[in-house]
Amino acid sequence: MSATTGVKRDRINLRLKHNVKKVLERAASFEGKTVSNFILTSAQVRAEKTIQEHEMMSLIARDSTLAGKLRAEHGRGFSSGTWAICSALWKYSPPRRLSPLCGYN
């Protein structure tokens, strides 16, 4: 293992209002964390969630495009596998997006 493993080298500086700082300090104290650690862990969780949502929406858009192409080529005569894909997409996408693509009304 390298001697630099785990060494924090990057920084982010924030300017914030006094009342926001007080809220962060209070929340950090409830969790037994430093303000820096509280902000870092909270921001990391939110960043990972944002990335996951973006990647999911990219996959849904790609799959919706594929479903639209299949529908254009085959009309409403989808195979049971295609309906299964549309049903799975239905769970993760607002209905208005998939209605025209998968035949949902």
Side-chain angles (χ1 to χ4, degrees):
M1 236 188 222
S2 165
T4 60
T5 302
V7 174
K8 298 176 186 176
R9 294 187 180 196
D10 292 338
R11 288 182 170 267
I12 295 177
N13 294 310
L14 300 172
R15 293 204 182 270
L16 61 155
K17 293 182 179 180
H18 180 74
N19 63 325
V20 174
K21 181 179 178 187
K22 290 296 180 191
V23 168
L24 292 172
E25 289 172 339
R26 186 171 182 209
S29 71
F30 288 153
E31 293 192 8
K33 297 179 178 180
T34 64
V35 174
S36 291
N37 187 264
F38 178 80
I39 292 170
L40 178 60
T41 56
S42 299
Q44 184 176 2
V45 167
R46 181 66 178 129
E48 289 170 355
K49 182 178 178 187
T50 298
I51 290 167
Q52 182 181 22
E53 288 171 356
H54 176 78
E55 289 173 347
M56 177 66 80
M57 292 307 295
S58 294
L59 288 174
I60 288 170
R62 186 198 71 200
D63 291 346
S64 295
T65 300
L66 175 60
K69 287 179 182 177
L70 287 171
R71 183 177 167 149
E73 291 174 14
H74 303 288
R76 289 185 183 260
F78 283 152
S79 69
S80 59
T82 304
W83 279 117
I85 291 169
C86 285
S87 295
L89 289 171
W90 185 260
K91 286 181 178 178
Y92 301 104
S93 182
R96 67 184 179 281
R97 287 201 178 128
L98 290 178
S99 294
L101 297 174
C102 292
Y104 291 106
N105 294 322

